[in-house]
Amino acid sequence: MEKRNHNNSRSLDEQCRGEYAKDVIKALILKERRRKKFFCRSPQIHERPQLISWIQKLSERLKLQNTTSHLAVYVLDIFMDNHDIEPSKLKLLAIVCLLLAAKFEELDSNIPKISVLKNKLDSDFAPTDFITMELVILKFLKWQLAHPTTAHFVEIFSSYAVEENDLVCCREEHVDVINNETMKCAMSSLRLEASEAMQELMEITLKDTSYIKFQPSVIAATIVCLTRRQLMLEPPWTPTLVKVTGMNGKEFSHCLKWLLREIDADEETSMKIDEGYFTGGSPCSPEQSPDVVKRKNP
């Protein structure tokens, strides 16, 4: 099982804003195209919201990264979509998905031990049960865990979500009294506000199976664009974002409309979105997916 590289001395933010940003994004987009398709055919699909909520809460307690919890949910989704799981083993499955994701995403010092995770389950599963479940999942995934998620793309795109000229534009009337130190504090505050908004939007798209029909890069671009709109930053999709992501807006217009309708039915009208962003149609919903409960080869 390959593991994400954490040994580079440069921070991820520096790498994302560096000369390799476009190359990193291109590599991730190539990997996301190899993700298994999701059909919403799990007999236990109704348990998904509770399992995801549990994964998120456990991730917070263990102080795991967003990329870890998102990868765990992806593994959970794909495995459940291709297997009929015994109800008594659903929590074991979820917690092992989180463990595998942590082994791939986290520093070794932050990977939770099986003994710690075992205490989180209200059952008598033995450590061997965890190991057996790990092996079953890894064999199904052909020992590949390098699957980009929305969190991976947001982690990169967010480096370009707010720029210094955004601060000047949204506070133009006060520019003459802002010194460098004040500008830094205001910029930090704006970035924090953007980060919190993106986090909320990520949670919405993670829990709703409708968004599984979109590629993670498309969802991430939607989240960044909508965050800028919510913060009243113009333009909502900057030339820098176009250059770095390779998207001009049309690629995620479909997802943007869908997310806007979910947040607020009136939001789409009030924000007066440029019709040039959009194409016709609507994303697939779970109700439109085939009702298959037996295991199928992808």
Side-chain angles (χ1 to χ4, degrees), residues 50-52 54-59 61-62 64 68-69 71-73 75-76 80 88-103 111-123 125-127 129-131 133-134 137:
Q50 184 178 354
L51 292 172
I52 290 179
W54 192 62
I55 285 176
Q56 288 180 309
K57 289 177 182 177
L58 189 54
S59 295
R61 290 174 192 165
L62 297 173
L64 302 178
T68 300
S69 57
L71 179 57
V73 171
V75 174
L76 177 71
M80 287 180 62
S88 62
K89 291 186 177 180
L90 283 174
K91 270 199 171 183
L92 174 64
L93 172 63
I95 207 168
V96 171
C97 287
L98 184 61
L99 176 59
L100 284 172
K103 287 182 176 181
I111 297 173
K113 292 180 171 57
I114 288 180
S115 58
V116 173
L117 296 176
K118 185 177 181 298
N119 291 332
K120 305 295 182 182
L121 286 173
D122 298 326
S123 65
F125 287 114
D129 293 319
F130 283 78
I131 296 171
M133 183 66 80
E134 277 190 87
I137 295 172

Side-chain angles (χ1 to χ4, degrees), residues 124-163:
D124 296 323
F125 287 114
T128 52
D129 293 319
F130 283 78
I131 296 171
T132 300
M133 183 66 80
E134 277 190 87
L135 290 173
V136 171
I137 295 172
L138 285 172
K139 286 180 181 178
F140 169 69
L141 294 173
K142 297 180 180 179
W143 297 82
Q144 295 295 320
L145 280 174
H147 299 286
T149 66
T150 298
H152 289 94
F153 283 101
V154 169
E155 191 175 49
I156 299 176
F157 294 175
S158 62
S159 297
Y160 302 89
V162 177
E163 300 178 356

Side-chain angles (χ1 to χ4, degrees), residues 266-278:
D266 298 324
E267 190 83 354
E268 188 175 349
T269 302
S270 64
M271 296 178 80
K272 298 180 180 179
I273 299 175
D274 181 0
E275 287 300 320
Y277 270 138
F278 300 122

Side-chain angles (χ1 to χ4, degrees), residues 172-187:
E172 190 172 4
E173 66 275 19
H174 302 299
V175 168
D176 57 328
V177 297
I178 293 181
N179 56 38
N180 288 337
E181 194 61 33
T182 304
M183 181 72 80
K184 287 181 181 179
C185 291
M187 192 67 184

